[in-house]
Amino acid sequence: MDEKVVLSEDAARSKIGSRSPSPLTELDRADTSRSGRSRRSTRSQFSSSSRRIKGQPAPWPDPYKYEARSLFCLTLQNPIRQGLIFAIENPWWDRIVLVIILINTVSLIARDPYDVEQFQPESKLRTAWEILSTIFNIFFLMECICKVLALGLVIGSRTYLSTAWNWLDIVVVIIGTIELLPTGSSAGNLSALRSFRVLRPLRVITKVKPLRFLVIVILKSVPELRDVFSLCLFVWFVFGIIGVQLFQGATRGACYDMDTGTNTGTAPCSPLRLSSDDPIQDQILCPMTQECLRLYTPPNGGVTNFDNILAAFINIFQVMTQQGWTDIMYALQASLSFHVWIYFVVLNFVGPYFVIQLFLVVISKKYAELNSETKALEAATALAALKPLKKDGPPPVTNRVHPEPNPPAQKPEGLNGHSYDGRDGAPPPPPPV
């Protein structure tokens, strides 16, 4: 009888426990489990911070910052690698490298382009510059070797070449190393590689953080500049077609003697009126014995002309740069009419004062976006560094000495509201629907 009572009581409890829980309860359990897992992962992620709080020293070099092995042989406990890591982490490392780059830039500026072996075979100044260039190449080579030994070369996410900014550095170092090779008949003439010395000042970009940020802004703005560039091409096409239709062959005019057929040197000229030696409305007219023929080469070495669409593009680009565009306008005024200024004024308004400014607007907008993202990332990083300090701190102090015992399990209630203990031998009541 007692076994039946026990079995019936277990069956009632199983029926009560088999009720489907509410969605809210399931969500609460899921959130609780996720929060527990997140707390465990956060606690394991910032275990180094907790060790620092407890007084234990932090590991150095940081295994989260450097690869476990460099070049498959140097571990983090290797004294040579530890010394190199200590050197490159010192702020004076980058300062000294930056000073050497600036001195190298000054030496490139101060060189005399005519101080070559053909003109001055025994120049002591050229010899001194060559020795100084060799010293710079050796210094940059040693810097690259130290960083490769400390960080590793390729394999790994924290190696030397994992950062794209170091690609330029290693290219400059490789070219400088080739310059150190002998230039005999077997090695060939490597003097052409000396022209790549101009890449050394570009290493300043990799050392100065604000310059790197500006380069990133420009590169990130390229996809958004496609529409602006399309609008600029449209303006070029429209004004190029108008220029070809209005000014084709206008700058080729020159005065020729009709008796001898020689050019008198007056160019450009206007073939509109030939009855006067005086200019009319800023037009250059040929004398009575000469005639303006469009057979001469255009001004500025044949560049200033609107004979085809490509030549028109070149002149429109010059107008957009705001450099020397008045010479083009004066040449057309001398050969056609004074009123060609309308074309150039409209082109100046639409081009430099409208289209070109859109490039600056897009770059400025991208600069503001990246600047705000950088500040938000720095704030999130600082907040993430402070969170483990709060979580791994000492537990709160309470007045309880012993924990409370677990509350007794509730017994199933009968139909009359009284608790059922199974002692009367009757089967348990069915659960309410």
Side-chain angles (χ1 to χ4, degrees):
M1 182 66 181
D2 295 338
E3 295 179 357
K4 293 181 179 180
V5 171
V6 173
L7 293 175
S8 61
E9 183 177 357
D10 294 336
R13 291 179 179 177
S14 64
K15 290 182 180 179
I16 294 174
S18 63
R19 299 175 186 175
S20 59
S22 62
L24 182 60
T25 306
E26 289 294 330
L27 291 176
D28 293 340
R29 292 177 180 176
D31 292 339
T32 304
S33 61
R34 283 196 298 267
S35 61
R37 287 195 299 268
S38 63
R39 285 195 295 269
R40 288 192 296 270
S41 62
T42 305
R43 193 174 295 112
S44 61
Q45 180 180 2
F46 297 99
S47 58
S48 60
S49 300
S50 61
R51 288 195 298 267
R52 287 194 294 269
I53 294 174
K54 295 177 182 179
Q56 298 181 3
W60 186 88
D62 191 355
Y64 295 99
K65 187 177 179 181
Y66 301 98
E67 295 292 335
R69 287 183 178 272
S70 173
L71 301 179
F72 303 101
C73 58
L74 299 179
T75 62
L76 289 177
Q77 288 73 30
N78 189 284
I80 298 177
R81 189 182 180 191
Q82 287 184 353
L84 295 176
I85 291 176
F86 178 79
I88 65 176
E89 286 183 351
N90 196 310
W92 281 99
W93 177 276
D94 288 336
R95 295 172 186 174
I96 294 175
V97 173
L98 186 60
V99 170
I100 296 298
I101 293 174
L102 294 179
I103 295 175
N104 187 16
T105 304
V106 173
S107 66
L108 294 175
I109 296 173
R111 286 196 176 189
D112 186 5
Y114 294 100
D115 189 5
V116 293
E117 188 175 358
Q118 291 80 2
F119 300 150
Q120 301 180 14
E122 298 180 357
S123 176
K124 296 182 180 180
L125 183 61
R126 186 180 69 252
T127 304
W129 287 128
E130 293 297 333
I131 295 174
L132 188 61
S133 177
T134 303
I135 295 174
F136 289 146
N137 288 331
I138 295 175
F139 176 82
F140 293 142
L141 178 61
M142 297 303 298
E143 180 211 1
C144 182
I145 292 175
C146 291
K147 285 191 173 182
V148 169
L149 291 177
L151 304 176
L153 185 59
V154 178
I155 300 177
S157 60
R158 298 176 293 272
T159 55
Y160 182 68
L161 292 182
S162 62
T163 304
W165 294 106
N166 293 330
W167 297 354
L168 177 62
D169 293 353
I170 201 167
V171 168
V172 174
V173 170
I174 292 174
I175 295 175
T177 305
I178 296 176
E179 292 182 12
L180 297 176
L181 298 177
T183 58
S185 58
S186 59
N189 188 9
L190 300 176
S191 60
L193 294 175
R194 296 177 182 177
S195 60
F196 289 96
R197 294 173 180 175
V198 297
L199 296 177
R200 295 177 185 172
L202 294 180
R203 297 191 62 192
V204 179
I205 300 176
T206 64
K207 303 299 180 183
V208 181
K209 187 176 180 181
L211 293 180
R212 292 202 307 266
F213 182 74
L214 292 178
V215 173
I216 293 174
V217 168
I218 295 174
L219 295 178
K220 293 286 187 180
S221 302
V222 171
E224 299 183 5
L225 291 174
R226 291 176 297 183
D227 297 335
V228 182
F229 188 70
S230 301
L231 179 61
C232 187
L233 287 180
F234 177 75
V235 171
W236 282 1
F237 270 106
V238 170
F239 281 89
I241 293 173
I242 295 175
V244 171
Q245 296 297 321
L246 296 178
F247 313 134
Q248 189 174 20
T251 58
R252 290 182 175 272
C255 295
Y256 287 86
D257 192 346
M258 300 306 296
D259 296 333
T260 62
T262 59
N263 179 22
T264 60
T266 304
C269 62
S270 175
L272 298 179
R273 298 187 63 178
L274 305 175
S275 59
S276 176
D277 294 339
D278 298 328
I280 299 176
Q281 292 184 352
D282 295 334
Q283 299 179 27
I284 299 177
L285 305 179
C286 297
M288 293 297 295
T289 59
Q290 299 178 8
E291 187 175 353
C292 183
L293 301 178
R294 294 182 175 178
L295 303 175
Y296 197 67
T297 304
N300 299 324
V303 177
T304 305
N305 68 88
F306 286 82
D307 296 344
N308 52 71
I309 193 66
L310 295 179
F313 280 173
I314 295 174
N315 289 273
I316 290 173
F317 178 78
Q318 184 175 354
V319 173
M320 286 190 172
T321 58
Q322 298 285 284
Q323 298 293 327
W325 67 272
T326 54
D327 297 334
I328 304 174
M329 184 182 67
Y330 294 155
L332 292 174
Q333 285 180 343
S335 59
L336 290 180
S337 174
F338 171 76
H339 300 288
V340 298
W341 64 267
I342 300 175
Y343 174 86
F344 289 93
V345 169
V346 175
L347 179 57
N348 273 283
F349 178 76
V350 177
Y353 294 107
F354 180 70
V355 177
I356 302 300
Q357 299 299 325
L358 293 179
F359 287 92
L360 302 179
V361 171
V362 172
I363 295 176
S364 177
K365 178 182 176 183
K366 180 58 67 174
Y367 177 84
E369 292 178 358
L370 293 180
N371 193 19
S372 60
E373 291 177 2
T374 303
K375 291 182 179 179
L377 182 60
E378 292 177 354
T381 305
L383 184 61
L386 293 176
K387 280 183 178 180
L389 299 178
K390 297 179 181 179
K391 292 183 179 180
D392 296 333
V397 180
T398 59
N399 297 326
R400 297 179 181 178
V401 180
H402 300 287
E404 293 184 356
N406 295 329
Q410 294 183 357
K411 299 180 180 180
E413 297 181 356
L415 296 178
N416 55 358
H418 299 285
S419 61
Y420 171 74
D421 55 2
R423 296 180 181 179
D424 54 354
V433 180

